[in-house]
PDB file of all heavy atoms in Angstrom:
ATOM      1  N   THR A   1       0.847  -1.184   0.000  1.00  0.00           N
ATOM      2  CA  THR A   1       0.000   0.000   0.000  1.00  0.00           C
ATOM      3  C   THR A   1       0.890   1.244   0.000  1.00  0.00           C
ATOM      4  O   THR A   1       2.095   1.170   0.237  1.00  0.00           O
ATOM      5  CB  THR A   1      -0.923   0.030   1.230  1.00  0.00           C
ATOM      6  OG1 THR A   1      -0.126   0.023   2.426  1.00  0.00           O
ATOM      7  CG2 THR A   1      -1.877  -1.149   1.234  1.00  0.00           C
ATOM      8  N   ALA A   2       0.277   2.396  -0.270  1.00  0.00           N
ATOM      9  CA  ALA A   2       0.996   3.670  -0.300  1.00  0.00           C
ATOM     10  C   ALA A   2       0.151   4.724   0.390  1.00  0.00           C
ATOM     11  O   ALA A   2      -1.068   4.760   0.214  1.00  0.00           O
ATOM     12  CB  ALA A   2       1.295   4.092  -1.738  1.00  0.00           C
ATOM     13  N   GLY A   3       0.787   5.566   1.162  1.00  0.00           N
ATOM     14  CA  GLY A   3       0.053   6.585   1.892  1.00  0.00           C
ATOM     15  C   GLY A   3      -0.555   7.641   0.992  1.00  0.00           C
ATOM     16  O   GLY A   3      -1.587   8.235   1.317  1.00  0.00           O
ATOM     17  N   THR A   4       0.085   7.883  -0.150  1.00  0.00           N
ATOM     18  CA  THR A   4      -0.402   8.898  -1.091  1.00  0.00           C
ATOM     19  C   THR A   4      -0.245   8.387  -2.512  1.00  0.00           C
ATOM     20  O   THR A   4       0.796   7.840  -2.879  1.00  0.00           O
ATOM     21  CB  THR A   4       0.396  10.206  -0.957  1.00  0.00           C
ATOM     22  OG1 THR A   4       0.385  10.647   0.407  1.00  0.00           O
ATOM     23  CG2 THR A   4      -0.199  11.297  -1.837  1.00  0.00           C
ATOM     24  N   ILE A   5      -1.292   8.555  -3.307  1.00  0.00           N
ATOM     25  CA  ILE A   5      -1.221   8.301  -4.745  1.00  0.00           C
ATOM     26  C   ILE A   5      -1.643   9.585  -5.445  1.00  0.00           C
ATOM     27  O   ILE A   5      -2.652  10.196  -5.074  1.00  0.00           O
ATOM     28  CB  ILE A   5      -2.104   7.122  -5.164  1.00  0.00           C
ATOM     29  CG1 ILE A   5      -1.623   5.834  -4.483  1.00  0.00           C
ATOM     30  CG2 ILE A   5      -2.104   6.947  -6.682  1.00  0.00           C
ATOM     31  CD1 ILE A   5      -2.474   4.601  -4.798  1.00  0.00           C
ATOM     32  N   ILE A   6      -0.847  10.010  -6.427  1.00  0.00           N
ATOM     33  CA  ILE A   6      -1.151  11.241  -7.152  1.00  0.00           C
ATOM     34  C   ILE A   6      -1.223  10.939  -8.648  1.00  0.00           C
ATOM     35  O   ILE A   6      -0.665   9.958  -9.134  1.00  0.00           O
ATOM     36  CB  ILE A   6      -0.107  12.348  -6.888  1.00  0.00           C
ATOM     37  CG1 ILE A   6       1.263  11.959  -7.472  1.00  0.00           C
ATOM     38  CG2 ILE A   6      -0.003  12.650  -5.397  1.00  0.00           C
ATOM     39  CD1 ILE A   6       2.284  13.080  -7.435  1.00  0.00           C
ATOM     40  N   SER A   7      -1.910  11.811  -9.373  1.00  0.00           N
ATOM     41  CA  SER A   7      -1.937  11.745 -10.834  1.00  0.00           C
ATOM     42  C   SER A   7      -2.283  13.137 -11.338  1.00  0.00           C
ATOM     43  O   SER A   7      -3.387  13.618 -11.106  1.00  0.00           O
ATOM     44  CB  SER A   7      -2.967  10.720 -11.324  1.00  0.00           C
ATOM     45  OG  SER A   7      -2.927  10.617 -12.733  1.00  0.00           O
ATOM     46  N   VAL A   8      -1.331  13.778 -12.001  1.00  0.00           N
ATOM     47  CA  VAL A   8      -1.538  15.157 -12.427  1.00  0.00           C
ATOM     48  C   VAL A   8      -1.318  15.294 -13.933  1.00  0.00           C
ATOM     49  O   VAL A   8      -1.046  14.326 -14.625  1.00  0.00           O
ATOM     50  CB  VAL A   8      -0.616  16.127 -11.655  1.00  0.00           C
ATOM     51  CG1 VAL A   8      -0.922  16.088 -10.173  1.00  0.00           C
ATOM     52  CG2 VAL A   8       0.845  15.812 -11.912  1.00  0.00           C
ATOM     53  N   CYS A   9      -1.438  16.535 -14.403  1.00  0.00           N
ATOM     54  CA  CYS A   9      -1.285  16.852 -15.832  1.00  0.00           C
ATOM     55  C   CYS A   9      -2.315  16.070 -16.656  1.00  0.00           C
ATOM     56  O   CYS A   9      -2.006  15.514 -17.702  1.00  0.00           O
ATOM     57  CB  CYS A   9       0.133  16.581 -16.313  1.00  0.00           C
ATOM     58  SG  CYS A   9       0.627  17.594 -17.728  1.00  0.00           S
ATOM     59  N   ASP A  10      -3.555  16.032 -16.158  1.00  0.00           N
ATOM     60  CA  ASP A  10      -4.736  15.445 -16.803  1.00  0.00           C
ATOM     61  C   ASP A  10      -4.537  14.014 -17.305  1.00  0.00           C
ATOM     62  O   ASP A  10      -5.136  13.616 -18.305  1.00  0.00           O
ATOM     63  CB  ASP A  10      -5.268  16.352 -17.941  1.00  0.00           C
ATOM     64  CG  ASP A  10      -4.214  16.825 -18.935  1.00  0.00           C
ATOM     65  OD1 ASP A  10      -3.837  16.042 -19.834  1.00  0.00           O
ATOM     66  OD2 ASP A  10      -3.764  17.968 -18.805  1.00  0.00           O
ATOM     67  N   SER A  11      -3.746  13.230 -16.612  1.00  0.00           N
ATOM     68  CA  SER A  11      -3.539  11.839 -17.032  1.00  0.00           C
ATOM     69  C   SER A  11      -4.838  11.035 -17.049  1.00  0.00           C
ATOM     70  O   SER A  11      -5.040  10.189 -17.933  1.00  0.00           O
ATOM     71  CB  SER A  11      -2.529  11.160 -16.099  1.00  0.00           C
ATOM     72  OG  SER A  11      -1.246  11.718 -16.240  1.00  0.00           O
ATOM     73  N   VAL A  12      -5.730  11.281 -16.079  1.00  0.00           N
ATOM     74  CA  VAL A  12      -6.952  10.479 -16.012  1.00  0.00           C
ATOM     75  C   VAL A  12      -7.889  10.776 -17.174  1.00  0.00           C
ATOM     76  O   VAL A  12      -8.783   9.966 -17.474  1.00  0.00           O
ATOM     77  CB  VAL A  12      -7.696  10.682 -14.666  1.00  0.00           C
ATOM     78  CG1 VAL A  12      -6.806  10.296 -13.494  1.00  0.00           C
ATOM     79  CG2 VAL A  12      -8.223  12.096 -14.523  1.00  0.00           C
ATOM     80  N   ASN A  13      -7.705  11.907 -17.861  1.00  0.00           N
ATOM     81  CA  ASN A  13      -8.552  12.207 -19.016  1.00  0.00           C
ATOM     82  C   ASN A  13      -8.306  11.257 -20.183  1.00  0.00           C
ATOM     83  O   ASN A  13      -9.108  11.190 -21.119  1.00  0.00           O
ATOM     84  CB  ASN A  13      -8.355  13.647 -19.483  1.00  0.00           C
ATOM     85  CG  ASN A  13      -8.938  14.672 -18.532  1.00  0.00           C
ATOM     86  OD1 ASN A  13      -8.216  15.265 -17.736  1.00  0.00           O
ATOM     87  ND2 ASN A  13     -10.247  14.882 -18.602  1.00  0.00           N
ATOM     88  N   TYR A  14      -7.182  10.533 -20.146  1.00  0.00           N
ATOM     89  CA  TYR A  14      -6.919   9.544 -21.193  1.00  0.00           C
ATOM     90  C   TYR A  14      -7.795   8.306 -21.043  1.00  0.00           C
ATOM     91  O   TYR A  14      -7.839   7.461 -21.945  1.00  0.00           O
ATOM     92  CB  TYR A  14      -5.443   9.142 -21.188  1.00  0.00           C
ATOM     93  CG  TYR A  14      -4.563  10.142 -21.907  1.00  0.00           C
ATOM     94  CD1 TYR A  14      -3.863  11.110 -21.201  1.00  0.00           C
ATOM     95  CD2 TYR A  14      -4.448  10.123 -23.296  1.00  0.00           C
ATOM     96  CE1 TYR A  14      -3.063  12.042 -21.855  1.00  0.00           C
ATOM     97  CE2 TYR A  14      -3.656  11.043 -23.963  1.00  0.00           C
ATOM     98  CZ  TYR A  14      -2.962  12.001 -23.246  1.00  0.00           C
ATOM     99  OH  TYR A  14      -2.182  12.917 -23.898  1.00  0.00           O
ATOM    100  N   LEU A  15      -8.479   8.170 -19.914  1.00  0.00           N
ATOM    101  CA  LEU A  15      -9.432   7.079 -19.740  1.00  0.00           C
ATOM    102  C   LEU A  15     -10.759   7.530 -20.346  1.00  0.00           C
ATOM    103  O   LEU A  15     -11.417   8.430 -19.827  1.00  0.00           O
ATOM    104  CB  LEU A  15      -9.586   6.743 -18.257  1.00  0.00           C
ATOM    105  CG  LEU A  15      -8.290   6.298 -17.557  1.00  0.00           C
ATOM    106  CD1 LEU A  15      -8.559   5.986 -16.098  1.00  0.00           C
ATOM    107  CD2 LEU A  15      -7.673   5.100 -18.256  1.00  0.00           C
ATOM    108  N   LEU A  16     -11.145   6.915 -21.448  1.00  0.00           N
ATOM    109  CA  LEU A  16     -12.257   7.410 -22.258  1.00  0.00           C
ATOM    110  C   LEU A  16     -13.612   6.853 -21.844  1.00  0.00           C
ATOM    111  O   LEU A  16     -14.637   7.371 -22.263  1.00  0.00           O
ATOM    112  CB  LEU A  16     -12.007   7.094 -23.740  1.00  0.00           C
ATOM    113  CG  LEU A  16     -10.675   7.603 -24.314  1.00  0.00           C
ATOM    114  CD1 LEU A  16     -10.589   7.288 -25.798  1.00  0.00           C
ATOM    115  CD2 LEU A  16     -10.498   9.096 -24.069  1.00  0.00           C
ATOM    116  N   GLU A  17     -13.605   5.795 -21.045  1.00  0.00           N
ATOM    117  CA  GLU A  17     -14.853   5.198 -20.588  1.00  0.00           C
ATOM    118  C   GLU A  17     -14.984   5.377 -19.079  1.00  0.00           C
ATOM    119  O   GLU A  17     -14.020   5.181 -18.335  1.00  0.00           O
ATOM    120  CB  GLU A  17     -14.903   3.702 -20.935  1.00  0.00           C
ATOM    121  CG  GLU A  17     -14.799   3.395 -22.422  1.00  0.00           C
ATOM    122  CD  GLU A  17     -15.998   3.892 -23.197  1.00  0.00           C
ATOM    123  OE1 GLU A  17     -17.086   4.030 -22.585  1.00  0.00           O
ATOM    124  OE2 GLU A  17     -15.857   4.126 -24.421  1.00  0.00           O
ATOM    125  N   LYS A  18     -16.177   5.705 -18.634  1.00  0.00           N
ATOM    126  CA  LYS A  18     -16.390   5.927 -17.206  1.00  0.00           C
ATOM    127  C   LYS A  18     -16.069   4.682 -16.384  1.00  0.00           C
ATOM    128  O   LYS A  18     -15.527   4.791 -15.280  1.00  0.00           O
ATOM    129  CB  LYS A  18     -17.835   6.372 -16.954  1.00  0.00           C
ATOM    130  CG  LYS A  18     -18.149   7.771 -17.485  1.00  0.00           C
ATOM    131  CD  LYS A  18     -19.583   8.170 -17.170  1.00  0.00           C
ATOM    132  CE  LYS A  18     -19.890   9.564 -17.707  1.00  0.00           C
ATOM    133  NZ  LYS A  18     -21.285   9.975 -17.427  1.00  0.00           N
ATOM    134  N   GLU A  19     -16.393   3.504 -16.914  1.00  0.00           N
ATOM    135  CA  GLU A  19     -16.124   2.280 -16.163  1.00  0.00           C
ATOM    136  C   GLU A  19     -14.627   2.050 -15.989  1.00  0.00           C
ATOM    137  O   GLU A  19     -14.193   1.496 -14.978  1.00  0.00           O
ATOM    138  CB  GLU A  19     -16.777   1.080 -16.846  1.00  0.00           C
ATOM    139  CG  GLU A  19     -18.300   1.058 -16.736  1.00  0.00           C
ATOM    140  CD  GLU A  19     -18.786   1.166 -15.293  1.00  0.00           C
ATOM    141  OE1 GLU A  19     -18.217   0.460 -14.426  1.00  0.00           O
ATOM    142  OE2 GLU A  19     -19.713   1.949 -15.039  1.00  0.00           O
ATOM    143  N   GLU A  20     -13.820   2.478 -16.982  1.00  0.00           N
ATOM    144  CA  GLU A  20     -12.372   2.382 -16.838  1.00  0.00           C
ATOM    145  C   GLU A  20     -11.891   3.280 -15.707  1.00  0.00           C
ATOM    146  O   GLU A  20     -10.990   2.913 -14.937  1.00  0.00           O
ATOM    147  CB  GLU A  20     -11.681   2.789 -18.135  1.00  0.00           C
ATOM    148  CG  GLU A  20     -11.853   1.831 -19.293  1.00  0.00           C
ATOM    149  CD  GLU A  20     -11.090   2.279 -20.522  1.00  0.00           C
ATOM    150  OE1 GLU A  20     -10.978   3.499 -20.754  1.00  0.00           O
ATOM    151  OE2 GLU A  20     -10.584   1.407 -21.251  1.00  0.00           O
ATOM    152  N   LEU A  21     -12.488   4.453 -15.623  1.00  0.00           N
ATOM    153  CA  LEU A  21     -12.109   5.386 -14.573  1.00  0.00           C
ATOM    154  C   LEU A  21     -12.497   4.853 -13.202  1.00  0.00           C
ATOM    155  O   LEU A  21     -11.708   4.904 -12.249  1.00  0.00           O
ATOM    156  CB  LEU A  21     -12.775   6.740 -14.840  1.00  0.00           C
ATOM    157  CG  LEU A  21     -12.106   7.994 -14.282  1.00  0.00           C
ATOM    158  CD1 LEU A  21     -10.648   8.062 -14.677  1.00  0.00           C
ATOM    159  CD2 LEU A  21     -12.843   9.238 -14.760  1.00  0.00           C
ATOM    160  N   VAL A  22     -13.703   4.315 -13.090  1.00  0.00           N
ATOM    161  CA  VAL A  22     -14.157   3.755 -11.813  1.00  0.00           C
ATOM    162  C   VAL A  22     -13.258   2.606 -11.378  1.00  0.00           C
ATOM    163  O   VAL A  22     -12.848   2.521 -10.214  1.00  0.00           O
ATOM    164  CB  VAL A  22     -15.621   3.285 -11.914  1.00  0.00           C
ATOM    165  CG1 VAL A  22     -16.025   2.515 -10.652  1.00  0.00           C
ATOM    166  CG2 VAL A  22     -16.554   4.479 -12.109  1.00  0.00           C
ATOM    167  N   GLU A  23     -12.894   1.721 -12.320  1.00  0.00           N
ATOM    168  CA  GLU A  23     -12.040   0.589 -11.982  1.00  0.00           C
ATOM    169  C   GLU A  23     -10.651   1.060 -11.552  1.00  0.00           C
ATOM    170  O   GLU A  23     -10.059   0.514 -10.612  1.00  0.00           O
ATOM    171  CB  GLU A  23     -11.921  -0.364 -13.164  1.00  0.00           C
ATOM    172  CG  GLU A  23     -11.037  -1.579 -12.912  1.00  0.00           C
ATOM    173  CD  GLU A  23     -11.481  -2.406 -11.721  1.00  0.00           C
ATOM    174  OE1 GLU A  23     -12.709  -2.418 -11.403  1.00  0.00           O
ATOM    175  OE2 GLU A  23     -10.623  -3.045 -11.085  1.00  0.00           O
ATOM    176  N   THR A  24     -10.126   2.077 -12.223  1.00  0.00           N
ATOM    177  CA  THR A  24      -8.830   2.636 -11.824  1.00  0.00           C
ATOM    178  C   THR A  24      -8.908   3.209 -10.416  1.00  0.00           C
ATOM    179  O   THR A  24      -8.011   2.995  -9.585  1.00  0.00           O
ATOM    180  CB  THR A  24      -8.389   3.726 -12.813  1.00  0.00           C
ATOM    181  OG1 THR A  24      -8.246   3.145 -14.121  1.00  0.00           O
ATOM    182  CG2 THR A  24      -7.066   4.347 -12.396  1.00  0.00           C
ATOM    183  N   PHE A  25      -9.986   3.936 -10.122  1.00  0.00           N
ATOM    184  CA  PHE A  25     -10.159   4.496  -8.781  1.00  0.00           C
ATOM    185  C   PHE A  25     -10.301   3.392  -7.737  1.00  0.00           C
ATOM    186  O   PHE A  25      -9.827   3.538  -6.603  1.00  0.00           O
ATOM    187  CB  PHE A  25     -11.382   5.409  -8.749  1.00  0.00           C
ATOM    188  CG  PHE A  25     -11.232   6.696  -9.517  1.00  0.00           C
ATOM    189  CD1 PHE A  25     -12.344   7.484  -9.801  1.00  0.00           C
ATOM    190  CD2 PHE A  25      -9.994   7.129  -9.955  1.00  0.00           C
ATOM    191  CE1 PHE A  25     -12.209   8.672 -10.494  1.00  0.00           C
ATOM    192  CE2 PHE A  25      -9.851   8.316 -10.659  1.00  0.00           C
ATOM    193  CZ  PHE A  25     -10.962   9.084 -10.927  1.00  0.00           C
ATOM    194  N   ARG A  26     -10.942   2.282  -8.096  1.00  0.00           N
ATOM    195  CA  ARG A  26     -11.068   1.163  -7.159  1.00  0.00           C
ATOM    196  C   ARG A  26      -9.698   0.570  -6.839  1.00  0.00           C
ATOM    197  O   ARG A  26      -9.401   0.213  -5.692  1.00  0.00           O
ATOM    198  CB  ARG A  26     -11.981   0.087  -7.746  1.00  0.00           C
ATOM    199  CG  ARG A  26     -13.459   0.431  -7.674  1.00  0.00           C
ATOM    200  CD  ARG A  26     -14.305  -0.616  -8.356  1.00  0.00           C
ATOM    201  NE  ARG A  26     -15.734  -0.307  -8.207  1.00  0.00           N
ATOM    202  CZ  ARG A  26     -16.670  -0.684  -9.063  1.00  0.00           C
ATOM    203  NH1 ARG A  26     -16.331  -1.410 -10.128  1.00  0.00           N
ATOM    204  NH2 ARG A  26     -17.935  -0.371  -8.864  1.00  0.00           N
ATOM    205  N   LEU A  27      -8.864   0.464  -7.870  1.00  0.00           N
ATOM    206  CA  LEU A  27      -7.511  -0.038  -7.645  1.00  0.00           C
ATOM    207  C   LEU A  27      -6.720   0.915  -6.760  1.00  0.00           C
ATOM    208  O   LEU A  27      -5.977   0.493  -5.877  1.00  0.00           O
ATOM    209  CB  LEU A  27      -6.803  -0.232  -8.990  1.00  0.00           C
ATOM    210  CG  LEU A  27      -7.283  -1.410  -9.839  1.00  0.00           C
ATOM    211  CD1 LEU A  27      -6.682  -1.343 -11.237  1.00  0.00           C
ATOM    212  CD2 LEU A  27      -6.923  -2.736  -9.168  1.00  0.00           C
TER     213      LEU A  27
END
């Protein structure tokens, strides 16, 4: 596990489907 996870410079916008985004957030 990690105490902090970050993602900047609009990396998450490359996920084009909402379900992909939800699954990434679950991970």
Side-chain angles (χ1 to χ4, degrees):
T1 59
T4 306
I5 298 178
I6 67 171
S7 183
V8 298
C9 207
D10 50 79
S11 293
V12 301
N13 289 100
Y14 279 98
L15 300 180
L16 305 183
E17 300 294 335
K18 291 182 180 179
E19 289 306 315
E20 290 182 326
L21 206 52
V22 172
E23 180 57 29
T24 299
F25 290 167
R26 283 176 177 153
L27 288 170

